[in-house]
Amino acid sequence: MYGYSLEQSSLIYIVPYTTAGILAVISGIIVNKLGIKRTLLISAATIIVGLMIAGFCSAESVSYVIAALTLITVGYAFAYGPLFTGAISTLNQNEMGTGIGLFNFTCYLSNALGISLSGILLNSNISKTIHIFNVNEKLGVYTNAFLFFAITALIGTIVYYVSTRKQVKLEAE
């Protein structure tokens, strides 16, 4: 799209993955200071903002693509710590190994499903003919996909927030 070679395109991922890797290391500190719920909400908001930037601004320049990828990967890096903590905190000591394996399996499975669904969405006739937000004709399919993922992440965040609020109310009673 930007006239980059394969080697140049792969260099785009250096900043997002390096940043996410560094911040993933300190995600435990953030979880300890903010708590699981706040950290997950911040990570979800970061992912949603990254997807919105990717959907609306990717046609402008590669800088927006790098910013969007950085926000998305950082959001996922921040989410891993609290999700992992929440998953293993409910397990007995003798269930820990199986629980960690199952958690990692679901993470890998969700990545594979996400990639598959992205491919299906990008190749579907609906996303090629209907441009919900006609930002750029060349990127219409990608805009639809990124905005669909942003809306899905927003719905998931709302469901999480509402369910945790109800859980807190039930525990208070």
Side-chain angles (χ1 to χ4, degrees):
M1 180 171 81
Y2 300 108
Y4 284 13
S5 68
L6 184 60
E7 293 83 15
Q8 291 170 321
S9 297
S10 64
L11 292 175
I12 290 173
Y13 289 97
I14 289 175
V15 171
Y17 284 123
T18 303
T19 306
I22 292 168
L23 293 177
V25 172
I26 62 169
S27 71
I29 297 168
I30 294 168
V31 170
N32 290 338
K33 289 195 185 262
L34 299 177
I36 290 175
K37 183 178 177 180
R38 284 187 183 147
T39 306
L40 281 175
L41 291 174
I42 290 169
S43 67
T46 305
I47 291 167
I48 292 167
V49 168
L51 290 167
M52 297 291 283
I53 290 172
F56 286 119
C57 302
S58 293
E60 300 301 318
S61 82
V62 74
S63 300
Y64 287 110
V65 173
I66 293 171
L69 286 172
T70 302
L71 288 171
I72 293 166
T73 55
V74 164
Y76 282 118
F78 276 154
Y80 187 84
L83 289 173
F84 184 77
T85 302
I88 65 168
S89 67
T90 61
L91 300 175
N92 297 328
Q93 188 68 27
N94 60 344
E95 299 172 322
M96 201 67 72
T98 305
I100 291 170
L102 185 60
F103 179 78
N104 285 330
F105 170 72
T106 57
C107 287
Y108 293 128
L109 181 63
S110 64
N111 285 337
L113 287 173
I115 291 168
S116 298
L117 290 173
S118 298
I120 290 168
L121 187 61
L122 292 173
N123 286 321
S124 72
N125 289 332
I126 293 173
S127 61
K128 290 179 182 174
T129 57
I130 300 172
H131 301 289
I132 300 168
F133 300 98
N134 196 8
V135 177
N136 183 315
E137 191 64 35
K138 192 166 53 170
L139 292 178
V141 174
Y142 298 102
T143 299
N144 288 345
F146 284 126
L147 295 178
F148 172 77
F149 295 139
I151 291 167
T152 304
L154 180 62
I155 291 169
T157 304
I158 292 168
V159 168
Y160 171 77
Y161 182 75
V162 169
S163 66
T164 55
R165 285 194 63 152
K166 285 184 180 181
Q167 181 181 11
V168 170
K169 286 181 183 179
L170 290 174
E171 290 172 359
E173 295 175 352

